[in-house]
Amino acid sequence: MRELRFFVAALVLVAAQRAAAAPPLSADGWREDLKTLAERLPRIHADAFHAVPREEWEREIAELDRSIPTMTPDAIAVGFMRLVARIGDGHTSMNPFFAGDAKAGFHTVGARLYAFSDGIYVRAAAPDHREIVGAKVVGVGGVPVDEAFRRVAEVVSHDNEEGLRLVVPMYFGVPEILAGLGLGDGRTAKWELEKDGRRFSAELPGASSPAHGHGGGSVFVDPPGWIDASSASGKATPLWLKNPGDLYWMEYLGGPRVLYVQYNGVADRPDESIAAFFARVFRFAGEHPVDRFVLDIRLNSGGNNFLNAPVVAGILRAHLDERGKLFVVIGRSTFSAAQNLVNDLSRFARPTFVGEPTGSRPSQYGDHEAIVLPRSGLTVMASTMYWPDRTKPDPRLWTAPRLPAPLSFADYRSGVDPAMESIIRYRSIAEAVRPALDAGDAAALEKSWRAFAADPASAGAPIENETNDLGYDELREGHSALALTLFRLNAERHPKSPNAQDSLGEGYLAAGDLVRARECYRNVLALEPGDANAQRMLRVIDERAGEARR
């Protein structure tokens, strides 16, 4: 959002030093902090009870207050985290690594986990733990990993499930959190691991971790000397992992004529602002042949939302926004101001999103302010603004990729980037039919479309979605005959798709064919009973038919 506070950086990179000499906080001290939280968070938050009823949250406050005298400090801190997470947005958080007061005392172990598509693995570790790098986590604190994930997820602030997939494995390495959830002793993290067909246990002591890097890319920036599963394999480093700690950089791939830009944080570098960097990017694009422009924001956890304007405007001015030319790589670390960039690109350009769903909702709470709890030193961040996408709230939990490219551990270890591989081999039906669309020739459009769809090389191409988008492009331009041709071909190829039938109905409606439009929306209801839009459109058609009869 507007303030430069990076979500993931606060989660994983700044560990507080434990003050061994500090006396333990009394029950009255914790209760004072709880009272501060209960009073200040609802007052600061833009809408604290949008996800949890106030009565329910206040009941949980009272239950924690009653239980404090019988709880350990770790369990109390975790109780606070659970209360904050119940507010239900990723910017409102009480994470274990943002505490400026030494009395908070959270630690991390010397290894990092990541949730790949095929499980949670030890992605990297300090040299003392090199034997566990590449191991799959099958248990945490004596329980199966799925159960541990469920317990930890209750105390993680998040917008959606992708946010949980990012953060929960990080918390598996915080002994105090594990202890507060009954999964450890508060000094070590105990993991059950599997590697090379062998199961074994690892007990890692908590230790303070130095700050290093910032932004979403820091998830893949390790302390010097650590062993990473990808680099340890001896495979070439994939493009997206070359400079994850750099805010922004670019590289030109001359063979496939791809201009790749990695944008890891919405913050100006001291040596070059975002505006200056992207001006340089677009000058380069104007001087070199570019068939595909790739904007990689899968590691971008946000920053100052208003710094994104030169990115969007530059893409449009450089004519890089054509379908099949502009690719935006997204993922679970795409959060906050990076999600706002996704929203703007969706609205003004024609991107093909690649990768994994974003970690933010398109409409989100943000611009958080700090509440420092006076006795424990714990810091609570509370969202002060609601950012709706467009003119009304967007109910989606994330922005989904048009080209899904989940990352498996085998991919990571082998230096394979499924997202870039999908982009390189992508075949765009928009490119194939563009001459016919430019000529306004419906017959040529149908011929070129059918030829592309029948070509074995087009297997795997997102024909349905891209054809649907092209149809709406033509509809907005007032080319109803071309739009109807595209919608008809799409529905013919995908007869079981409610969306294809819905779009065809809209095409017929635009052409004034109420009979065929009604048939299409009835087909939608047959495929998806109760579809609200189809029911609404049938009412619209009936009203228009009644007016025509009068």
Side-chain angles (χ1 to χ4, degrees), residues 248-265:
Y248 30 84
W249 56 278
M250 69 172 172
E251 185 165 324
Y252 181 62
L253 308 178
R257 307 209 301 189
V258 172
L259 180 55
Y260 174 89
V261 177
Q262 190 173 64
Y263 184 30
N264 291 330

Side-chain angles (χ1 to χ4, degrees), residues 38 42 49 52-63 83:
F49 303 109
V52 60
R54 176 187 284 270
E55 298 77 14
E56 188 174 320
W57 193 72
E58 290 178 344
R59 185 168 61 249
E60 293 175 12
I61 291 273
E63 290 173 359
L83 285 169

Side-chain angles (χ1 to χ4, degrees), residues 235-529:
K235 303 292 185 180
T237 301
L239 201 56
W240 73 287
L241 290 176
K242 285 182 66 174
N243 299 300
D246 197 345
L247 279 171
Y248 30 84
W249 56 278
M250 69 172 172
E251 185 165 324
Y252 181 62
L253 308 178
R257 307 209 301 189
V258 172
L259 180 55
Y260 174 89
V261 177
Q262 190 173 64
Y263 184 30
N264 291 330
V266 190
D268 285 333
R269 278 196 325 231
D271 62 324
E272 185 178 36
S273 68
I274 287 173
F277 168 74
F278 276 97
R280 182 160 58 87
V281 167
F282 299 129
R283 280 197 304 272
F284 185 95
E287 297 166 356
H288 297 77
V290 175
D291 290 338
R292 283 164 168 72
F293 179 74
V294 179
L295 182 64
D296 190 344
I297 56 173
R298 77 183 90 179
L299 301 179
N300 191 324
S301 60
N304 186 337
N305 182 53
F306 296 108
L307 296 178
N308 280 324
V311 184
V312 180
I315 286 173
L316 298 176
R317 281 197 298 264
H319 303 293
L320 295 171
D321 61 321
E322 301 171 11
R323 296 200 188 281
K325 189 170 191 175
L326 173 60
F327 295 85
V328 181
V329 186
I330 56 176
R332 68 193 75 169
S333 290
T334 307
F335 185 79
S336 190
Q339 177 67 55
N340 293 137
L341 175 59
V342 168
N343 296 348
D344 288 343
L345 289 171
S346 298
R347 185 178 310 130
F348 300 115
R350 297 179 176 88
T352 298
F353 291 110
V354 187
E356 299 177 327
T358 59
S360 270
R361 296 184 178 102
S363 293
Q364 56 181 310
Y365 289 88
D367 286 65
H368 47 199
E369 289 187 7
I371 303 170
V372 180
L373 302 181
R375 300 296 298 277
S376 66
L378 293 169
T379 299
V380 176
M381 308 304 293
S383 297
T384 64
M385 288 187 64
Y386 182 64
W387 290 76
D389 181 30
R390 309 181 192 239
T391 57
K392 60 182 180 180
D394 186 329
R396 290 178 299 159
L397 296 178
W398 50 53
T399 297
R402 177 61 53 83
L403 290 179
L407 180 69
S408 70
F409 180 69
D411 291 331
Y412 184 80
R413 183 174 51 193
S414 302
V416 173
D417 181 5
M420 281 300 291
E421 288 202 341
S422 296
I423 291 169
I424 296 298
R425 65 170 178 259
Y426 181 84
R427 297 189 77 236
S428 171
I429 200 166
E431 296 173 354
V433 303
R434 178 54 55 195
L437 288 173
D438 290 344
D441 188 334
L445 171 62
E446 180 163 352
K447 183 178 180 180
S448 58
W449 189 96
R450 289 190 184 279
F452 181 93
D455 188 342
S458 300
I463 292 175
E464 179 184 353
N465 290 330
E466 196 167 66
T467 300
N468 195 67
D469 290 343
L470 286 169
Y472 279 108
D473 288 347
E474 296 304 313
L475 207 57
R476 281 188 290 270
E477 294 293 327
H479 305 151
S480 59
L482 295 174
L484 188 55
T485 298
L486 288 164
F487 290 143
R488 174 176 54 78
L489 291 167
N490 214 23
E492 176 187 303
R493 182 178 174 88
H494 305 96
K496 299 298 183 182
S497 168
N499 189 54
Q501 290 291 329
D502 183 287
S503 299
L504 180 57
E506 191 165 347
Y508 278 128
L509 195 57
D513 191 335
L514 300 184
V515 174
R516 286 194 174 93
R518 182 183 288 108
E519 181 182 347
C520 289
Y521 286 114
R522 285 175 175 168
N523 289 341
V524 173
L525 290 174
L527 293 166
E528 204 166 89

